[in-house]
Amino acid sequence: MKTMASDFALSTQPALGRTSPDRRSATSRVPNERRARPPAYAAIDLGTNNCRMLVGVPSGGGFHVLDSFSRVVRLGEGLYRSGTLSDAAMDRAIDALSICAERLRRWQVSDIRAIATEACRQAENGAAFIARARAATGLPIETISPREEVGLAMESCASLINQAERRALLFDIGGGSTEIAWVRVPGSAGAADRSLPQLIGYHTIPVGVVTLSERCAGWCESEAGFAAVVEEIKALLRPFEQIHRIGQEIRQGGVRLVGTSGTVTTIAGIALNLDRYRRGAIDGAVLPREQVASGLAAIRALGRTGLAEHPCIGPDRVDFVLPGCAIFAAIEEMWPASDLAVADRGLREGMLMRLIRTARARSRPYQV
């Protein structure tokens, strides 16, 4: 049931996201690697704030990363106020997509998926921008629905979801929206006999770190303002709670929160007292609620200068950290699970896994 409101080293997927040890020479090795490697696949995620790409080949139950790219493009800059994508934002996004297209031509991938999310869904000129991006880059970029966005997040986080006892509440705090998925774990009561988690229901709210930072600039820096934003977001989450009674399920036990977003990985990095961000220490970490709360409190106590200077944050993300923390706090207060599984992965990884699975199904001989 759906309701609407106004970057892997996994134990179950050992090769997922393992990067090349020599990233700088990746493109120079392409011709030699192409002769020996399996078919390559590519995924591009154009979000409200970032443009990201992954190129990978199947390896075991996951994939081996050949190339990756990420750039802040701020596609949704000013969207809350104007309702449209600005010329400057569209130019930045197309420049980044053009870099992706050039790198993909060198790799000669077998299949590609390129998606846009909330900024293009919301913008009056979103469809026109997608047409322009296709023409300029040759990439088959398309805007996906919130339902498919949830499905891709589930795909990338399946190994973490499957570690829960009965249910998982997966959330993805994006730049322009936040997606929530209520998930049945394989092997639990009522679950079909298959390896992938099953979606019970999902919810999307048009609030993300970019839109919230523009709409409530400075609010989250004060105690009262932060609390007001948290309450506003909880009101947007309440209809989903009323349908699925997730709070009651959490009290019965066996439910795990699984979070995937820059906000969640930042909170985890600070909760773990890391001197710098290390993906290997964060992706897949399961933190008790008390440790998560200490990380959230530490972030809020840093102040703007402290946020900019912290090695797990940096000046480019200062405007988005506290709005993201407010969204996270609303989710955690609404659904206070005993621990949080942290995922440093997202839509790109979900797309790659889906492309690989589809290719394997096509190559499998038909059996009567």
Side-chain angles (χ1 to χ4, degrees), residues 1-139:
M1 181 178 295
K2 171 189 173 187
T3 60
M4 294 289 293
S6 113
D7 294 24
F8 293 86
L10 309 181
S11 58
T12 58
Q13 296 175 328
L16 191 56
R18 187 176 300 153
T19 57
S20 168
D22 186 6
R23 174 68 51 78
R24 291 172 298 176
S25 61
T27 55
S28 66
R29 298 196 316 276
V30 171
N32 291 332
E33 288 200 11
R34 188 182 300 134
R35 287 195 292 266
R37 63 166 167 79
Y41 301 89
I44 297 173
D45 170 21
L46 179 61
T48 302
N49 199 46
N50 298 281
C51 177
R52 299 182 174 100
M53 179 191 74
L54 272 182
V55 181
V57 294
S59 180
F63 59 83
H64 174 85
V65 174
L66 298 177
D67 196 6
S68 67
F69 172 81
S70 180
R71 174 175 289 184
V72 175
V73 296
R74 305 190 310 279
L75 180 59
E77 184 179 46
L79 177 59
Y80 173 76
R81 294 185 297 270
S82 68
T84 61
L85 304 174
S86 72
D87 290 339
M90 290 189 289
D91 289 344
R92 289 192 298 264
I94 289 177
D95 285 346
L97 289 170
S98 297
I99 293 172
C100 293
E102 175 59 29
R103 291 168 79 153
L104 292 182
R105 279 189 285 270
R106 297 172 183 172
W107 286 109
Q108 295 186 357
V109 297
S110 297
D111 203 356
I112 177 176
R113 184 83 192 278
I115 63 167
T117 54
E118 186 66 14
C120 290
R121 289 196 293 259
Q122 284 189 14
E124 295 175 9
N125 58 343
F129 164 72
I130 292 297
R132 175 187 165 193
R134 280 174 168 259
T137 66
L139 294 170

Side-chain angles (χ1 to χ4, degrees), residues 346-361:
L347 303 185
R348 294 178 303 170
E349 291 82 0
M351 283 186 280
L352 274 187
M353 292 301 296
R354 189 171 289 181
L355 287 171
I356 291 168
R357 195 170 80 258
T358 300
R360 283 172 172 164

Side-chain angles (χ1 to χ4, degrees), residues 274-277 306-314:
L274 299 183
D275 56 351
R276 59 181 176 83
Y277 188 85
L307 292 171
E309 294 175 349
H310 198 285
C312 288
I313 301 172

Side-chain angles (χ1 to χ4, degrees), residues 26 37 71 90 116 132 172 209 225 236 244 289-290 341 352:
R37 63 166 167 79
R71 174 175 289 184
M90 290 189 289
R132 175 187 165 193
D172 184 358
V209 299
L236 297 175
H244 295 287
R289 187 179 180 213
E290 295 77 12
L352 274 187

